[in-house]
Amino acid sequence: MPSSLLLEVPALADFNRAWIDLTDWLSLLDGVIKSQRVMVGDLEDINEMIIKQKATLQDLEQRRPQLEELITAAQNLKNKTSNQEARTIITDRIEIIQNQWDEVQEYLQNRRQQLNEMLKDSTQWLEAKEEAEQVLGQARAKLESWKEGPYKMDAVQEKITETKQLAKDLRQWQINIDVANDLAQKLLRDYSADDTRKVNMITENINASWGSIRKRVNEREAALEETHRLLQQFPLDLEKFLAWLTEAETTANVLQDATHKERLLEDSKGVRELMKQWKDLQGEIEAHTDIYHNLDENGQKILRSLEGSDDAVLLQRRLDNMNFKWSELRKKSLNIRSHLEASSDQWKRLHLSLQELLVWLQLKDDELSRQAPIGGDFPAVQKQNDVHRAFRRELKTKEPVIMSTLETVRIFLTEQPLEGLEKLYQEPRELPPEERAQNVTRLLRKQAEEVNTEWEKLNLHSADWQRKIDEALGRLQELQEATDELDLKLRQAEVIKGSWQPVGDLLIDSLQDHLEKVKALRGEIAPLKEKVGHVNDLARQLTTLGIQLSPYNLTTLEDLNTRWKLLQVAVEDRVRQLHEAHRDFGPASQHFLSTSVQGPWERAISPNKVPYYINHETQTTCWDHPKMTELYQSLADLNNVRFSAYRTAMKLRRLQKALCLDLLSLSAACDALDQHNLKQNDQPMDILQIINCLTTVYDRLEQEHNNLVNVPLCVDMCLNWLLNVYDTGRTGRIRVLSFKTGIISLCKAHLEDKYRYLFKQVASSTGFCDQRRLGLLLHDSIQIPRQLGEVASFGGSNIEPSVRSCFQFANNKPEIEAALFLDWMRLEPQSMVWLPVLHRVAAAETAKHQAKCNICKECPIIGFRYRSLKHFNYDICQSCFFSGRVAKGHKMHYPMVEYCTPTTSGEDVRDFAKVLKNKFRTKRYFAKHPRMGYLPVQTVLEGDNMETNLQAEYDRLKQQHEHKGLSPLPSPPEMMPTSPQSPRDAELIAEAKLLRQHKGRLEARMQILEDHNKQLESQLHRLRQLLEQPQAEAKVNGTTVSSPSTSLQRSDSSQPMLLRVVGSQTSESMGEEDLLSPPQDTSTGLEEVMEQLNNSFPSSRGRNTPGKPMREDTM
């Protein structure tokens, strides 16, 4: 906005500042709410966000009056100014801020609606997810219950039925999976702007598990169908094959007989015919080779499944019979070939057969070598196993040929004489016949030996390779199962990790809960370390065996190890971050209390956790909270109240409201104390325990009174007050009993309920209380007015007179019960009278009396109403009464009645009768019949003789110890207990204890005397100020301003006699001017001053103070 315009229209500056403030706040709010993201599918997170949105909407509505005021101010400015530019600017700015307000409000409302819909959709998805996980669990349970059984028709048929039923169930359960997927897709589609990682990961896991289950079921169903077909077809195929074997054996026997006929080799035509028949037979054998191998393999499978049964024995016999017949058939076929091929060129054919076999064996050995190395994953090794099984079948098929050839060579060399070999072997050059025969024999024998050696080597090589394959298959299958299990566990942990919110987005109250959950997750994933180690060990074992893992397996292992390390790091980082957040922001950190102060103040913490406050402007520190300092300064305004009981009660009432303890019910306070297990009243509480308990108290109050309670400020100020009352040395510890006394004294409850609760805290398990325990309670109670500097009016800090008064009231019983304590407290003992007066002050705050004050003319009278029982229709309001103002003709010593609530007609009649009666009574009567409004106890002056005796005893004991040559006794805090070693030591210790007790009592008395001395000095100063004022102004009471912690007491010169009424009950009682008679004047000229003051302000010496109520109301 132009500065010239601001100069021309000065009111625009205020409007401009207000507009900027509201605009900045709306911009900040808009940025915050648009940056908030929620975890879709997390009901707790969504509910928390809904609560935040609701609170934000409430904040916006609370700011609406500010917007309306701004709009009203803008209209007024437009009406008052004629500057068109100013009017335009005002209009534009109001339109801008109105639009901005509407946009923020609309976004909040839409977001709230969206969150409610998200909550509904997420609930539905979670329900569907649970149903899907339930069916997944059922399917897994059925899969795991399946076991491999015997290959019997009935068992296989039963398994097929089970598998088909499961497949049918899966088709029905597919609906649950589809519903979960549809709802998940809806969440992913509709709420993509929020965090959908949890929904995405859980959906992927469900679908992956479901796909795996369906695949396993389908594979099992297909395998069982194949097994069923096999079991049905195997007996038929076996019978058919055995029948063919029988026919082939008959044919082979006929051919074998034909080949052994004499002079067969001379009939070339017959040989050719037999060779043709042999080839046909050999063709049939080769055609049935695969059938034989399949039958043998399937039979072995069935045999293994039937192990130990009668069917297994029968099947074994049939398979052995089949194998024997097959082997014999092949042998006969080869024998037939050998005889048919016998001729003059037989050695050459044998030589060529052996050469062919050597070449074949070398090729097979090379083929077997090429199958190495072992594959790096299960599918590859399974494929190698299938290839090698075919290879071994080929070897098994070739074995009869090789054995037959070797046998033929052996027979040939045995049967043929050397003369025949000479004719068979023709060398290019002439050699002796014997040498030629030896060369043929040597050649055939060498080749046969080579064939036999290579055959054995090939079989050993194949067996070794099969052993390696079998071992690799077992190890790789174990590795695959271990990696699959580890991958599943890691995925489950990663789903949880993926659902983590950033630590900065977590609520402070939920930090501990999140920390416990992460620690639980850390415990759950701890066993994964062993699983990762097991997987790595399996991989190393494979490497040791010479098995090079495939790139897929290596990638999988690396991925698993990386995911495990990342998961460990993520969990540890999460724990560390949560620990740091809990340390820096949790209840133990007191961080949430840092918002209780505003700049330039800063909240700091001393080493013993006690807070203190730094003012960066003045570079100073102090123990008191800035708001507490302001509160204490405001309490000084109440020092003009003449009567100390009311002065103390009004200060406590203001303090009570500032701490919001007037909102705290006794039941809520008890619940908070029980929640934190504060039952040992003698135990000390440290700062963190106090803060935690106070936080619980004020969190509940905030829920009940959202707009009235600022939790950090209330906790900090209440902590400040408790430390001021019970830990002035800032040690960082107070007793549990002290904490309870402070909180209960200022909470909202009936007075007698407070008395009962406090008595119960110091009573034994039998319900009785001795003097020591009562002294502890009264000591903690008297610290409350003592902190306000008002303790002298209530008998001082020494509570022994009050304890004696109570037990004297109980006829000096060693212990008292609750009823006697309540009866004594109803008398309002001097040390505790401030508490019932506090209740009356609270009850009178809202009271409205239809009467006029005869002094200030206030009508109606608000608060206490004081009616004269000496004059008709004479009323005084509490302001005039507390300040000591009187009207002409009414004396201070005249009796009056106090009302906390409006009077009834019956009370008016009763008071009229009393006024009538008092009209006939003289001043002497009132002086002769004084009544005190409380139960007096021994005052400071009454304890002078005791203190003198104590001092004398202290001096005597000290001189006695010095005379015995002992060093002076140290101060009580430095005293160290020792075990007595002799009667003399015991005597010294007893004297020391007695001296310590007397010294403590003496110091307490001295402190009270010092307090009274300060009071007298303050009163003297005030009286002198009154004398210096003009006579006309002297009728108005002055005000002494002092800090709350050192505010001084005053004992005014006079006070009216008072009848106190609470509700409709009255009780006649006279009051003292103060709750304590003042000590004698100690300053020079005080008597003269008092005489001059009395001459200036005539008044009676009668001292009265308000008495006790007949009925107490809740504050």
Side-chain angles (χ1 to χ4, degrees):
M1 187 173 290
S3 56
S4 58
L5 192 60
L6 293 176
L7 293 174
E8 183 178 348
V9 187
L12 276 178
D14 296 334
F15 169 78
N16 192 45
R17 281 194 298 270
W19 182 86
I20 291 174
D21 290 342
L22 190 55
T23 303
D24 291 344
W25 181 80
L26 286 172
S27 300
L28 178 62
L29 180 62
D30 185 59
V32 169
I33 60 178
K34 288 184 178 178
S35 65
Q36 291 174 340
R37 299 180 69 208
V38 70
M39 179 67 72
V40 181
D42 190 335
L43 301 184
E44 183 179 354
D45 193 25
I46 297 173
N47 280 318
E48 289 177 358
M49 186 60 69
I50 290 174
I51 293 173
K52 287 182 180 178
Q53 293 291 324
K54 182 179 179 181
T56 306
L57 271 172
Q58 290 177 350
D59 291 343
L60 190 67
E61 288 302 319
Q62 289 176 0
R63 289 260 187 167
R64 180 173 289 279
Q66 186 176 347
L67 174 67
E68 294 173 352
E69 290 176 2
L70 191 64
I71 295 174
T72 302
Q75 293 296 334
N76 293 335
L77 282 175
K78 288 171 64 177
N79 294 334
K80 291 179 180 179
T81 182
S82 58
N83 190 309
Q84 188 59 38
E85 182 181 2
R87 293 170 63 89
T88 302
I89 291 175
I90 292 171
T91 302
D92 292 343
R93 294 204 167 188
I94 288 300
E95 184 177 354
I96 290 171
I97 199 168
Q98 185 69 57
N99 291 336
Q100 190 177 6
W101 181 281
D102 293 340
E103 288 176 2
V104 171
Q105 187 176 36
E106 182 180 4
Y107 179 84
L108 283 171
Q109 292 173 347
N110 292 339
R111 178 61 169 167
R112 186 176 179 184
Q113 182 179 358
Q114 184 190 43
L115 288 172
N116 288 326
E117 293 175 356
M118 184 192 298
L119 182 65
K120 180 181 177 182
D121 293 343
S122 297
T123 303
Q124 293 177 351
W125 173 72
L126 287 173
E127 293 174 354
K129 177 186 77 72
E130 290 179 0
E131 293 178 359
E133 290 175 344
Q134 184 178 1
V135 300
L136 283 173
Q138 294 176 4
R140 288 195 192 99
K142 289 190 176 182
L143 286 176
E144 292 172 358
S145 66
W146 285 346
K147 296 180 181 178
E148 293 296 331
Y151 276 25
K152 292 184 179 180
M153 186 65 68
D154 295 340
V156 173
Q157 186 62 46
E158 183 179 354
K159 291 180 181 178
I160 290 175
T161 304
E162 291 179 358
T163 306
K164 288 185 175 180
Q165 181 61 40
L166 179 57
K168 181 179 179 182
D169 293 340
L170 290 181
R171 287 191 292 273
Q172 293 178 351
W173 292 341
Q174 181 69 45
I175 299 174
N176 300 91
I177 304 298
D178 292 340
V179 170
N181 284 332
D182 292 342
L183 292 173
Q185 291 302 321
K186 185 176 187 301
L187 290 175
L188 295 174
R189 181 182 64 254
D190 295 347
Y191 311 110
S192 58
D194 288 289
D195 193 347
T196 58
R197 290 175 297 172
K198 178 179 179 179
V199 177
N200 201 20
M201 294 184 71
I202 291 178
T203 303
E204 289 179 358
N205 284 342
I206 290 176
N207 289 329
S209 300
W210 182 253
S212 175
I213 289 172
R214 292 188 61 185
K215 181 180 178 182
R216 288 180 61 186
V217 171
N218 292 334
E219 290 176 351
R220 180 177 176 81
E221 186 176 4
L224 288 173
E225 291 287 352
E226 179 64 24
T227 302
H228 185 263
R229 187 194 62 77
L230 174 65
L231 289 175
Q232 284 181 328
Q233 193 67 28
F234 179 77
L236 301 176
D237 292 343
L238 182 60
E239 291 295 334
K240 185 177 179 181
F241 184 72
L242 289 175
W244 172 83
L245 276 176
T246 302
E247 294 177 1
E249 280 181 342
T250 302
T251 304
N253 288 333
V254 172
L255 286 175
Q256 190 175 22
D257 292 341
T259 56
H260 284 78
K261 289 181 180 179
E262 295 182 0
R263 307 181 67 83
L264 176 65
L265 297 178
E266 296 178 0
D267 185 4
S268 58
K269 183 177 179 182
V271 170
R272 286 194 298 272
E273 182 64 27
L274 290 175
M275 182 62 73
K276 180 181 178 183
Q277 293 179 12
W278 174 83
K279 288 181 179 179
D280 293 340
L281 176 63
Q282 187 63 29
E284 288 188 24
I285 291 173
E286 291 177 355
H288 283 78
T289 300
D290 289 339
I291 297 174
Y292 163 74
H293 286 302
N294 288 332
L295 285 172
D296 184 56
E297 183 178 350
N298 293 332
Q300 293 300 326
K301 287 182 180 179
I302 298 173
L303 192 63
R304 284 194 296 271
S305 69
L306 297 174
E307 185 175 1
S309 64
D310 295 338
D311 293 339
V313 176
L314 180 61
L315 180 60
Q316 182 67 56
R317 289 176 184 173
R318 301 191 69 184
L319 289 176
D320 291 343
N321 183 35
M322 181 188 71
N323 289 329
F324 177 75
K325 286 184 176 182
W326 175 259
S327 179
E328 289 297 319
L329 178 63
R330 290 182 61 81
K331 286 181 181 179
K332 287 180 181 180
S333 176
L334 293 174
N335 191 21
I336 292 170
R337 179 187 176 188
S338 300
H339 282 82
L340 289 174
E341 289 179 350
S343 64
S344 60
D345 297 331
Q346 185 177 10
W347 78 271
K348 292 182 180 179
R349 287 194 293 274
L350 290 175
H351 174 63
L352 290 175
S353 296
L354 291 173
Q355 283 184 329
E356 289 176 358
L357 289 175
L358 284 172
V359 172
W360 183 85
L361 288 171
Q362 185 61 44
L363 290 174
K364 290 300 173 184
D365 189 64
D366 292 342
E367 180 183 343
L368 185 60
S369 298
R370 285 196 299 272
Q371 291 183 15
I374 294 291
D377 52 45
F378 186 80
V381 179
Q382 185 65 48
K383 185 177 181 180
Q384 286 179 316
N385 187 46
D386 294 339
V387 170
H388 188 251
R389 286 172 60 188
F391 180 84
R392 287 180 66 84
R393 284 198 300 269
E394 191 174 353
L395 290 184
K396 192 172 182 180
T397 303
K398 197 70 173 178
E399 182 179 8
V401 176
I402 294 173
M403 293 295 106
S404 177
T405 302
L406 292 176
E407 180 66 19
T408 302
V409 171
R410 186 186 65 78
I411 294 173
F412 176 78
L413 293 176
T414 303
E415 291 179 352
Q416 292 293 336
L418 292 177
E419 293 80 5
L421 292 175
E422 292 176 8
K423 297 177 182 179
L424 296 174
Y425 184 77
Q426 299 294 330
E427 283 288 343
R429 59 187 180 86
E430 293 295 328
L431 290 175
E434 295 82 1
E435 186 175 352
R436 288 200 299 269
Q438 290 175 356
N439 287 341
V440 171
T441 303
R442 190 182 303 113
L443 176 63
L444 291 177
R445 184 173 289 114
K446 179 181 178 183
Q447 286 183 326
E449 290 175 353
E450 288 180 356
V451 168
N452 188 51
T453 301
E454 293 297 325
W455 172 250
E456 291 178 353
K457 285 173 59 179
L458 182 61
N459 277 291
L460 290 174
H461 190 184
S462 176
D464 182 63
W465 180 243
Q466 185 63 47
R467 180 184 58 78
K468 290 182 178 179
I469 287 176
D470 292 340
E471 185 176 6
L473 275 176
R475 296 292 180 87
L476 285 169
Q477 185 173 6
E478 186 180 2
L479 176 63
Q480 183 172 347
E481 291 174 354
T483 53
D484 289 344
E485 182 182 3
L486 179 59
D487 177 67
L488 178 62
K489 297 293 184 182
L490 286 174
R491 285 172 68 87
Q492 291 174 350
E494 287 166 348
V495 168
I496 298 175
K497 181 175 76 71
S499 65
W500 289 344
Q501 292 178 271
V503 175
D505 294 344
L506 299 178
L507 295 175
I508 293 177
D509 293 340
S510 66
L511 287 176
Q512 186 62 39
D513 183 46
H514 283 280
L515 184 59
E516 294 301 328
K517 288 181 180 178
V518 176
K519 287 183 178 179
L521 176 63
R522 183 168 61 179
E524 291 174 2
I525 68 172
L528 294 185
K529 183 177 182 180
E530 296 181 3
K531 295 184 182 296
V532 173
H534 179 59
V535 168
N536 291 330
D537 288 341
L538 291 175
R540 281 193 292 270
Q541 291 172 11
L542 290 170
T543 305
T544 305
L545 294 174
I547 301 174
Q548 186 66 35
L549 294 177
S550 66
Y552 172 78
N553 270 348
L554 290 174
T555 303
T556 301
L557 284 173
E558 184 180 0
D559 178 61
L560 290 174
N561 280 281
T562 302
R563 288 165 61 192
W564 166 242
K565 291 177 182 178
L566 291 176
L567 181 62
Q568 281 183 305
V569 171
V571 170
E572 294 302 323
D573 285 348
R574 182 74 170 182
V575 171
R576 177 182 54 79
Q577 292 172 3
L578 288 171
H579 269 303
E580 292 176 353
H582 193 264
R583 181 195 66 207
D584 297 337
F585 303 100
S589 68
Q590 305 184 34
H591 177 82
F592 76 104
L593 297 177
S594 61
T595 59
S596 69
V597 295
Q598 305 295 329
W601 288 94
E602 177 188 355
R603 189 181 192 275
I605 304 173
S606 63
N608 60 353
K609 304 297 184 182
V610 176
Y612 64 96
Y613 304 91
I614 304 172
N615 188 327
H616 290 287
E617 277 188 1
T618 60
Q619 298 295 313
T620 56
T621 62
C622 64
W623 289 116
D624 283 332
H625 191 285
K627 294 291 185 183
M628 184 62 77
T629 302
E630 295 176 5
L631 176 62
Y632 284 160
Q633 291 172 352
S634 69
L635 295 184
D637 298 339
L638 299 173
N639 287 336
N640 61 346
V641 177
R642 298 181 59 187
F643 314 120
S644 60
Y646 286 90
R647 182 169 62 249
T648 305
M650 294 177 75
K651 289 180 180 180
L652 287 176
R653 180 59 175 170
R654 186 173 295 182
L655 180 68
Q656 181 189 37
K657 287 184 174 181
L659 302 182
C660 294
L661 292 178
D662 60 319
L663 306 175
L664 177 64
S665 65
L666 181 60
S667 60
C670 293
D671 289 344
L673 295 171
D674 292 341
Q675 180 178 339
H676 292 270
N677 198 27
L678 298 178
K679 297 179 180 179
Q680 299 296 327
N681 291 320
D682 293 334
Q683 293 296 321
M685 293 177 68
D686 58 27
I687 296 299
L688 298 182
Q689 289 176 304
I690 299 173
I691 290 176
N692 289 338
C693 189
L694 291 177
T695 303
T696 302
V697 168
Y698 284 110
D699 280 343
R700 180 167 177 175
L701 289 182
E702 185 188 29
Q703 295 175 3
E704 298 172 356
H705 311 278
N706 186 28
N707 299 327
L708 301 178
V709 179
N710 182 337
V711 175
L713 179 61
C714 290
V715 171
D716 218 10
M717 289 188 64
C718 192
L719 170 65
N720 194 168
W721 175 70
L722 288 170
L723 294 178
N724 286 345
V725 175
Y726 298 112
D727 185 23
T728 55
R730 288 305 194 271
T731 62
R733 289 179 177 273
I734 66 173
R735 290 186 309 149
V736 173
L737 179 60
S738 302
F739 178 81
K740 290 181 177 179
T741 303
I743 297 299
I744 298 302
S745 296
L746 296 190
C747 76
K748 178 180 67 174
H750 288 281
L751 184 59
E752 291 197 358
D753 290 341
K754 292 184 180 181
Y755 291 159
R756 288 190 185 92
Y757 180 85
L758 293 175
F759 181 82
K760 183 179 178 182
Q761 302 310 305
V762 295
S764 63
S765 58
T766 59
F768 289 88
C769 177
D770 56 17
Q771 293 191 24
R772 185 187 68 83
R773 292 174 176 270
L774 181 61
L776 292 175
L777 175 60
L778 295 180
H779 175 269
D780 284 345
S781 298
I782 201 63
Q783 302 309 309
I784 296 175
R786 180 179 180 275
Q787 192 268 332
L788 296 175
E790 302 281 358
V791 70
S793 301
F794 304 99
S797 299
N798 184 17
I799 48 81
E800 291 180 14
S802 297
V803 175
R804 286 200 301 270
S805 171
C806 181
F807 278 83
Q808 287 171 0
F809 178 80
N811 297 324
N812 293 321
K813 293 181 180 179
E815 292 182 331
I816 63 170
E817 58 186 4
L820 284 174
F821 176 75
L822 288 177
D823 290 340
W824 180 68
M825 289 297 288
R826 291 189 188 103
L827 298 177
E828 296 187 7
Q830 182 175 348
S831 57
M832 293 295 293
V833 70
W834 53 270
L835 186 54
V837 176
L838 171 61
H839 276 249
R840 290 199 294 276
V841 168
E845 278 183 344
T846 57
K848 183 182 292 186
H849 307 273
Q850 297 301 322
K852 183 196 296 186
C853 176
N854 284 53
I855 299 175
C856 67
K857 308 306 180 184
E858 176 188 5
C859 184
I861 294 176
I862 305 298
F864 285 114
R865 173 190 178 185
Y866 297 92
R867 173 186 281 174
S868 173
L869 296 181
K870 179 66 175 177
H871 297 289
F872 293 110
N873 296 326
Y874 186 89
D875 296 285
I876 304 178
C877 66
Q878 68 177 28
S879 299
C880 296
F881 183 80
F882 290 159
S883 61
R885 299 174 64 188
V886 294
K888 185 177 180 181
H890 191 274
K891 305 299 181 182
M892 290 292 294
H893 63 271
Y894 287 164
M896 303 191 75
V897 63
E898 176 188 275
Y899 284 100
C900 299
T901 58
T903 59
T904 64
S905 58
E907 290 169 343
D908 292 337
V909 172
R910 182 178 55 206
D911 291 345
F912 178 81
K914 289 181 180 180
V915 172
L916 205 59
K917 187 185 299 182
N918 289 330
K919 283 288 186 179
F920 301 99
R921 289 173 177 168
T922 62
K923 295 180 181 180
R924 184 178 300 177
Y925 172 83
F926 296 118
K928 189 177 180 180
H929 299 84
R931 293 185 184 179
M932 302 188 69
Y934 61 94
L935 179 64
V937 298
Q938 182 186 26
T939 64
V940 176
L941 294 180
E942 292 170 348
D944 284 345
N945 294 332
M946 181 182 293
E947 290 164 5
T948 303
N949 296 334
L950 290 176
Q951 183 64 43
E953 185 176 357
Y954 176 81
D955 295 337
R956 180 182 62 79
L957 289 173
K958 183 176 180 181
Q959 291 175 3
Q960 183 179 352
H961 281 274
E962 290 176 352
H963 180 68
K964 292 179 180 180
L966 299 175
S967 59
L969 291 174
S971 59
E974 299 174 352
M975 286 288 291
M976 298 298 293
T978 57
S979 299
Q981 303 295 330
S982 66
R984 179 173 176 274
D985 293 338
E987 180 184 356
L988 293 177
I989 290 174
E991 292 177 352
K993 289 181 178 179
L994 182 61
L995 180 61
R996 187 185 307 117
Q997 294 173 357
H998 291 339
K999 182 174 180 291
R1001 295 171 63 182
L1002 181 60
E1003 288 177 346
R1005 300 293 187 184
M1006 294 298 293
Q1007 181 63 42
I1008 295 172
L1009 290 173
E1010 289 177 1
D1011 291 343
H1012 273 278
N1013 189 30
K1014 293 178 181 179
Q1015 294 174 31
L1016 292 173
E1017 291 177 357
S1018 176
Q1019 292 167 7
L1020 179 61
H1021 177 69
R1022 180 171 174 271
L1023 292 173
R1024 284 174 176 166
Q1025 287 180 337
L1026 291 173
L1027 290 175
E1028 291 172 359
Q1029 293 175 358
Q1031 185 70 17
E1033 297 177 357
K1035 294 182 180 180
V1036 181
N1037 289 330
T1039 301
T1040 302
V1041 181
S1042 60
S1043 65
S1045 59
T1046 60
S1047 64
L1048 302 177
Q1049 311 303 310
R1050 298 187 313 282
S1051 181
D1052 301 304
S1053 58
S1054 62
Q1055 178 180 325
M1057 297 169 58
L1058 184 64
L1059 295 176
R1060 183 164 51 259
V1061 175
V1062 179
S1064 60
Q1065 302 291 334
T1066 62
S1067 64
E1068 297 185 13
S1069 60
M1070 295 296 187
E1072 290 290 341
E1073 169 202 5
D1074 211 342
L1075 288 176
L1076 184 65
S1077 299
Q1080 299 297 323
D1081 298 338
T1082 58
S1083 302
T1084 305
L1086 182 58
E1087 294 180 357
E1088 298 176 0
V1089 172
M1090 292 294 294
E1091 184 178 355
Q1092 294 176 8
L1093 185 62
N1094 289 331
N1095 293 332
S1096 301
F1097 306 98
S1099 62
S1100 172
R1101 291 280 182 181
R1103 295 174 181 171
N1104 306 306
T1105 232
K1108 62 175 183 175
M1110 295 299 290
R1111 179 176 63 86
E1112 290 297 340
D1113 290 339
T1114 303
M1115 285 191 291

